[in-house]
C-alpha cells in the first residue's frame, strides 16, 4: 500500500509530468506511483529506503527526478496536476 500522500507530493508529481509529452504523462505517473509502492514495501521488509526509489513516499521518488519549479499560472502544470490526482485515484482503487 502507498504511504499517506500530501498536496505537496501531488504537486511534485505534477512537476515531474510537465516536461514529458502529454501522451506519455499517464504512463509516467502510473509508473512513479508503482515505484513508490515498491519502495514502501522494500522499506517495510528491509528497514531501510530502497537505493534507487527512496523511502516509499512520492516526494522521495519525484525529487530524484529533478522536477522543474511549479507555476499555478501555467496551464501545463495545472493539467499535469489534474492528471497526478487522477493517477493517484486509479492507483488507490487497484
Amino acid at each position: 500500500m502507498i504511504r499517506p500522500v500530501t498536496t505537496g507530493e501531488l504537486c511534485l508529481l505534477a512537476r515531474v509530468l510537465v516536461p514529458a509529452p502529454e501522451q506519455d504523462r499517464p504512463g509516467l505517473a502510473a509508473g512513479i506511483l508503482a515505484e513508490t509502492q515498491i519502495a514502501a514495501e522494500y522499506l517495510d521488509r528491509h528497514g531501510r529506503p530502497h537505493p534507487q526509489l527512496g523511502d516509499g513516499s512520492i516526494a522521495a521518488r519525484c525529487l530524484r527526478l529533478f522536477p522543474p519549479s511549479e507555476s499555478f499560472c501555467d496551464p501545463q502544470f495545472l493539467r499535469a496536476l489534474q492528471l497526478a490526482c487522477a493517477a493517484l485515484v486509479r492507483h488507490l482503487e487497484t
Side-chain angles (χ1 to χ4, degrees):
M1 186 65 177
I2 198 165
R3 303 241 186 273
V5 178
T6 67
T7 54
E9 288 179 301
L10 283 173
C11 287
L12 271 170
L13 180 54
R15 288 168 53 191
V16 168
L17 299 176
V18 168
E22 282 196 57
Q23 70 271 16
D24 296 343
R25 291 177 185 174
L28 178 59
I32 289 170
L33 293 172
E35 291 171 343
T36 299
Q37 185 164 344
I38 290 167
E41 292 166 0
Y42 184 95
L43 180 65
D44 291 343
R45 194 171 325 122
H46 299 285
R48 63 182 182 280
H50 188 282
Q52 285 83 36
L53 304 178
D55 66 3
S57 67
I58 293 173
R61 182 65 191 114
C62 289
L63 287 172
R64 291 172 183 244
L65 300 172
F66 305 102
S69 61
E70 65 191 42
S71 171
F72 285 95
C73 295
D74 178 5
Q76 285 291 330
F77 173 75
L78 294 172
R79 279 193 286 280
L81 185 56
Q82 284 178 312
L83 195 142
C85 291
L88 181 59
V89 169
R90 277 192 301 279
H91 184 81
L92 293 172
E93 290 178 339
T94 59

